[in-house]
Amino acid sequence: MVDSASAPPPEPQGPPEPAVEFTDTGASTGIEAEDIGEAGRMPFDPELIDVTPRSPTIDLVLQRLKRGLIDLQPDFQRRSGIWNDTRQSRLIESLLLRIALPTLYVAEEPDESWSVVDGVQRLTSIVRFVKPEAAGLKPLRLQNLEYLTQYDDAGFEDLPGRMQTRILETELSVLLIRKGTPEEARFNIFVRINTGGLPLSQQELRHALIPGRARTFLAELAESEEFLEATAYSVSPSRMAERELCLRFLAFWMTPPERYVTQDFDGFLRRTMHAINALSDTELSTLRRRFRVAMVGCDLLFGDQAFRKQFRGITRRYPINKALFEVQAVTVARCAPHDLPTLLDRTGTLEARFKELMDDPAFYDAISSGTGDADKVNYRFQSMKDLFHEVLHA
């Protein structure tokens, strides 16, 4: 029998375990689910919405792809949930059986190219089978068919001519959001239709609807060793959560928190992607260096607890909190070079003061609910700035 007098005191429970975001397969992304609050969306004129139904044949769609007028966004495929060969083969079987496919939703860009938002997996399956070289994809050979088993292991060229023609002449149902439709309206439309299966995350929508170098730049930052080490390799890339973290750092680095006055946090992040698209190579290099400095600094100062809630007397590690990521990373990035050695010598004090800050109900609220509210954004950034100042001058 254990002597209760000598047993260690139980660990404080602290706040309830936060909910997390999930991948396509139901696993944790390693990111705390966020309550961003009510979005103060920019108004738009409904009369400017221009959505046109189209019925192009697969052959015409492939011609657009060959001319670079369809953006399939290869890196948009959810890495853990991409359709396997069997599922892609059975979609081809549906075409051969003359079973209509669900409607594709695409957005028209200024150059009249199409960005595919809903239907990437379906189009990718068709392209892999019929013309994989048009998109640099691995050819698909049919497998595990349910009805047309005679075509198992067949490639497109192995099909009888009439079956090849049947595929190429299949008409696809496409809803095209024309280029004159305001961006806010385009996002609103896709949010409304984004209800089937596992809905796209906000970052997946931004990625689909805002083409340009911001896509590859965010991917580069998210795959950097500095980011992976600072986040303890704990963020799943399947829903682009890691790219959103990088985008949020860039947003508040390029637009200081005190100048954030909108309630439309999603619009704020979209505008940042457009701003990144307009930067020169030199400006991107400067951003890249600053991001890496922030990641290395956070890793050194906070260790494997970087970007996570911490509470006095509690040792378990919480998931990464998006609001803490942006506030810690930007605050570290804004430190003078000569301050970092001092902070490194006082990491114990930094940790203790941070846990004290987590006891502040207003700060806890600012990183937990309504995180897109301008007052809460400013409060959490000012609180972290004050904390660093106190540690430096302790």
Side-chain angles (χ1 to χ4, degrees):
M1 183 172 180
V2 178
D3 182 358
S4 61
S6 61
E11 183 178 273
Q13 292 301 305
E17 191 71 20
V20 296
E21 296 179 355
F22 293 100
T23 69
D24 304 52
T25 59
S28 168
T29 62
I31 298 286
E32 182 178 332
E34 183 178 37
D35 168 19
I36 201 169
E38 290 295 323
R41 295 187 178 278
M42 296 294 290
F44 55 85
D45 183 355
E47 296 298 322
L48 296 177
I49 295 178
D50 186 0
V51 181
T52 305
R54 295 283 181 86
S55 300
T57 63
I58 286 177
D59 192 33
L60 286 174
V61 169
L62 292 172
Q63 289 299 320
R64 287 188 66 87
L65 182 68
K66 183 178 178 181
R67 297 189 184 101
L69 294 176
I70 291 183
D71 179 11
L72 271 183
Q73 314 148 56
D75 63 335
F76 188 42
Q77 305 289 349
R78 290 168 172 162
R79 298 174 208 185
S80 65
I82 188 170
W83 286 12
N84 59 28
D85 286 357
T86 294
R87 189 169 182 184
Q88 293 193 21
S89 296
R90 291 185 179 178
L91 180 134
I92 301 301
E93 185 179 37
S94 294
L95 297 176
L96 295 172
L97 293 170
R98 295 195 175 100
I99 297 174
L101 302 186
T103 299
L104 305 172
Y105 291 86
V106 303
E108 185 180 43
E109 303 301 334
D111 62 358
E112 299 188 2
S113 63
W114 293 356
S115 290
V116 181
V117 177
D118 187 32
V120 174
Q121 303 280 16
R122 280 167 272 154
L123 270 184
T124 300
S125 303
I126 294 169
V127 173
R128 276 196 65 198
F129 185 64
V130 181
K131 196 176 287 292
E133 67 277 5
L137 298 171
K138 178 183 176 182
L140 172 68
R141 300 194 70 84
L142 302 180
Q143 60 181 259
N144 299 322
L145 300 180
E146 289 185 279
Y147 302 104
L148 305 177
T149 54
Q150 67 270 34
Y151 298 134
D152 272 339
D153 199 40
F156 180 73
E157 298 299 331
D158 300 320
L159 295 179
R162 63 187 178 85
M163 289 301 197
Q164 293 182 22
T165 300
R166 182 176 297 181
I167 290 176
L168 293 175
E169 292 186 351
T170 295
E171 291 185 347
L172 298 175
S173 173
V174 174
L175 277 183
L176 177 67
I177 300 181
R178 301 300 301 274
K179 58 186 177 183
T181 302
E183 181 177 87
E184 180 59 36
R186 292 167 66 176
F187 272 84
N188 186 285
I189 291 168
F190 283 117
V191 167
R192 288 172 181 266
I193 66 172
N194 189 24
T195 57
L198 185 64
L200 302 179
S201 69
Q202 287 300 107
Q203 186 57 34
E204 286 174 321
L205 277 174
R206 293 182 204 110
H207 180 91
L209 290 171
I210 306 176
R213 64 195 309 178
R215 286 179 180 171
T216 54
F217 187 64
L218 291 174
E220 176 195 339
L221 298 185
E223 293 166 3
S224 67
E225 195 62 27
E226 293 86 355
F227 173 83
L228 295 173
E229 289 188 2
T231 56
Y233 295 85
S234 63
V235 181
S236 169
S238 69
R239 303 300 308 279
M240 295 195 174
E242 83 290 14
R243 300 192 196 187
E244 180 173 329
L245 292 177
C246 299
L247 176 60
R248 290 168 78 128
F249 166 82
L250 297 175
F252 284 113
W253 179 259
M254 297 167 69
T255 303
E258 58 271 17
R259 285 170 47 197
Y260 175 81
V261 294
T262 177
Q263 299 298 101
D264 183 9
F265 195 76
D266 182 60
F268 174 60
L269 295 182
R270 294 203 309 270
R271 289 190 291 276
T272 300
M273 285 192 68
H274 286 296
I276 294 169
N277 282 339
L279 295 178
S280 67
D281 290 342
T282 300
E283 290 169 321
L284 287 176
S285 294
T286 300
L287 275 183
R288 186 182 296 111
R289 285 194 301 271
R290 184 52 54 186
F291 177 80
R292 289 175 174 169
V293 166
M295 293 300 100
V296 171
C298 287
D299 189 28
L300 291 172
L301 295 175
F302 296 99
D304 64 1
Q305 293 286 357
F307 322 126
R308 305 167 197 270
K309 293 174 177 175
Q310 297 182 62
F311 303 96
R312 287 184 285 189
I314 296 177
T315 57
R316 70 177 181 272
R317 193 172 71 166
Y318 287 79
I320 286 177
N321 176 282
K322 293 178 182 179
L324 277 178
F325 182 92
E326 67 199 23
V327 74
Q328 288 184 348
V330 170
T331 303
V332 168
R334 292 192 179 280
C335 285
H338 61 268
D339 287 337
L340 288 175
T342 304
L343 289 168
L344 281 172
D345 287 339
R346 301 176 181 177
T347 53
T349 303
L350 182 66
E351 178 182 346
R353 293 292 178 88
F354 178 65
K355 290 180 178 179
E356 290 174 8
L357 180 59
M358 287 297 302
D359 287 336
D360 173 12
F363 181 80
Y364 182 86
D365 185 55
I367 63 171
S368 301
S369 65
T371 54
D373 179 84
D375 289 338
K376 293 184 178 182
V377 167
N378 282 277
Y379 187 85
R380 63 177 178 256
F381 272 97
Q382 187 61 49
S383 297
M384 190 63 63
K385 180 180 177 181
D386 292 344
L387 184 152
F388 272 58
H389 184 268
E390 291 169 7
V391 173
L392 284 168
H393 297 88

